[in-house]
Amino acid sequence: MKLVIPMAGFGTRMRPHTWTRPKPLLPLAGKPMLAHILERFRELPIEEYIFITGWLGEQVETYIHETYDIPSHFVEQKELLGQAHALWLAREQMTGPLFVLFVDTLFDDTDFSDLQRPGLDGVIFTKHEEDPRRFGVVETDAEGRATRLIEKPSSVENKNVLMGLYYFADGDWLARACETLMERRIQTKGEYYLADAVTLMIEEGANFRTREVGVWQDTGKPETTLLTHRYILEHGYDNSMEA
């Protein structure tokens, strides 16, 4: 099992802090944001960590090598064409079962059991949000099977929000879907989104289910990051824990 973390963005919403430090290394309760994310996978059998970097990516690579003894691979996204483009760049490493997690997603109380059961091609982790328009949503049928993912919806009726964590049973299939997306130039608001790639997989017959997380803390904006600081301190995830 692998963990893929796209993190190539400029972090413009977190400036001026991200002028000299990439967003994954911004501090949260005394530890880099990235450290808190990696903690969530400590108990899982992750065989390789794939980091898709961009702005100030050399700092991320140095931090990982100096802090962790983990099998890691780094891919640079020089053109910010979207999430699916970033994943496509890592296509040679995206084999077998894997997680995709976006770097501004911090979560707790998440069920990782029974992911590799027969017939399941993936799990889309979600959270109920009253206003989903900044994120994306997933539509499901009566049996709970995902039928379509919609990035940046214009309405608030569907509150089943994509919180930035996915499990794929077949990384090769995901890579092919990302490539098909770009070949057909299927974009949302000028970018190639993972949500559209997953929808392609569903149209090809993939069986995706949703699973709601207990806690989702967003670190994509200053105001939400302050709330995340509070959550981390109140729940013992500060820098007193082992990295």
Side-chain angles (χ1 to χ4, degrees), residues 74-95:
F74 296 85
V75 175
E76 183 181 7
Q77 186 184 21
K78 296 180 180 179
E79 292 184 275
L80 300 184
L81 302 180
Q83 302 164 349
H85 172 255
L87 295 171
W88 177 79
L89 293 173
R91 60 194 179 279
E92 293 183 3
Q93 286 71 43
M94 286 174 47
T95 57

Side-chain angles (χ1 to χ4, degrees), residues 35-78:
H36 291 285
I37 288 174
L38 294 178
E39 276 182 5
R40 272 46 180 188
F41 293 89
R42 180 184 296 179
E43 304 302 322
L44 294 179
I46 303 297
E47 300 167 358
E48 185 179 23
Y49 296 78
I50 302 166
F51 303 94
I52 304 174
T53 63
W55 172 249
L56 302 176
E58 67 280 358
Q59 293 187 27
V60 174
E61 188 166 354
T62 298
Y63 170 76
I64 291 296
H65 288 320
E66 292 182 349
T67 310
Y68 297 94
D69 182 19
I70 57 176
S72 54
H73 187 89
F74 296 85
V75 175
E76 183 181 7
Q77 186 184 21
K78 296 180 180 179

Side-chain angles (χ1 to χ4, degrees), residues 84-152:
H85 172 255
L87 295 171
W88 177 79
L89 293 173
R91 60 194 179 279
E92 293 183 3
Q93 286 71 43
M94 286 174 47
T95 57
L98 55 83
F99 287 98
V100 173
L101 174 69
F102 293 105
V103 76
D104 52 4
T105 300
L106 193 66
F107 61 89
D108 261 338
D109 191 17
T110 305
D111 181 11
F112 286 141
S113 66
D114 201 27
L115 292 176
Q116 296 178 299
R117 70 176 185 266
L120 182 65
D121 295 305
V123 174
I124 302 163
F125 292 89
T126 65
K127 186 64 177 174
H128 181 95
E129 287 288 324
E130 287 301 319
D131 188 349
R133 289 173 294 182
R134 191 166 70 88
F135 309 104
V137 295
V138 54
E139 295 180 348
T140 58
D141 61 19
E143 298 178 353
R145 182 169 173 162
T147 58
R148 184 171 64 137
L149 279 64
I150 304 171
E151 191 66 47
K152 304 292 189 296

